[in-house]
Amino acid sequence: TGTLAVDGGSQSFSTTAPGQNVYMYFTASPGDNIGLGISGLSFGGHDGSTITVYDANNHSVASTGCNQVSQGCGLDLHNMAGGSYKVVVDPSYSVTMSFTATLSHDVASTLAPDTPISGNLARRGQTATYAFNATAGQTVAFQATGGSTVPSGQLTYYYIYNPSGSEHTQSYSSGYELLNLPNLPQTGTYKVYVVPNYGATLTEQVALISGVTGTLATD
């Protein structure tokens, strides 16, 4: 067992009996976006495990599979209710296991039009939220360039949410992504949620690009 501090140091765990679980505990504030990263995962036999996060009422709030072939995994915990949480790592087979766990708040920044910023997710499992303001009918594009992950070659997922909180669009890529956002439906603050696959670290540059539009007159 162990207690994880959000944005604190990583902790390593090793089981001594085949099939033994690992239990980790942490506290979150309401509205937190937190990423759990598992790295250095190793099994004394068959590969595979399940990671489940439970709230204070022992209700499952998130779950994912994790294996050493992918060199670990990540679990994004978005817009949390707050309170005390328990993480259970359960090996899929009766084997021993060892791994390192890292818990981090997401990186939050605001995008200004045509002003690129660095998107550096240096901790395993860390995610990012980029906000930008737009008016209904406006056309922009979101761009991510120079993406590099550790482990290398991992995909990164991009989710864009409307001011109302509903998902506007999503995509994924490795190294480069551009999401055209024509004729946005609402006025307000949009959010881009960035999640590297398998809890990989990520270095990239992100930007909000002004739309190129025009009105044509017939004849």
Side-chain angles (χ1 to χ4, degrees):
T1 67
T3 300
L4 298 176
V6 183
D7 299 329
S10 300
Q11 289 196 43
S12 296
F13 299 87
S14 295
T15 60
T16 57
Q20 187 178 18
N21 289 348
V22 171
Y23 303 88
M24 301 175 287
Y25 302 87
F26 70 93
T27 301
S29 299
D32 270 355
N33 295 329
I34 292 175
L36 172 64
I38 301 295
S39 58
L41 184 63
S42 178
F43 295 98
H46 295 288
D47 189 9
S49 64
T50 301
I51 301 177
T52 308
V53 178
Y54 297 90
D55 63 16
N57 296 315
N58 213 36
H59 296 149
S60 173
V61 297
S63 182
T64 189
C66 199
N67 58 70
Q68 63 185 7
V69 172
S70 303
Q71 302 181 52
C73 61
L75 191 59
D76 54 297
L77 306 168
H78 199 205
N79 193 25
M80 302 192 74
S84 299
Y85 292 86
K86 175 178 65 178
V87 183
V88 180
V89 183
D90 179 10
S92 301
Y93 302 91
S94 292
V95 296
T96 59
M97 62 181 173
S98 61
F99 61 86
T100 297
T102 308
L103 202 61
S104 311
H105 281 112
D106 72 341
V107 174
S109 298
T110 299
L111 297 176
D114 306 311
T115 307
I117 64 173
S118 175
N120 186 23
L121 306 181
R123 293 166 62 88
R124 289 298 300 262
Q126 196 166 33
T127 59
T129 301
Y130 302 113
F132 66 89
N133 294 317
T135 58
Q138 186 176 354
T139 292
V140 297
F142 172 80
Q143 182 187 55
T145 60
S148 176
T149 63
V150 178
S152 63
Q154 298 297 336
L155 294 173
T156 300
Y157 290 80
Y158 301 89
Y159 305 88
I160 297 183
Y161 292 91
N162 295 320
S164 63
S166 61
E167 185 178 297
H168 181 74
T169 188
Q170 63 171 278
S171 187
Y172 60 88
S173 68
S174 176
Y176 178 83
E177 180 62 73
L178 189 134
L179 288 168
N180 286 294
L181 306 171
N183 193 27
L184 289 170
Q186 301 171 13
T187 296
T189 301
Y190 289 76
K191 292 184 178 181
V192 184
Y193 191 42
V194 180
V195 184
N197 206 18
Y198 296 119
T201 64
L202 171 67
T203 300
E204 63 181 358
Q205 187 176 75
V206 298
L208 183 70
I209 301 174
S210 298
V212 179
T213 66
T215 301
L216 298 177
T218 306
D219 298 328

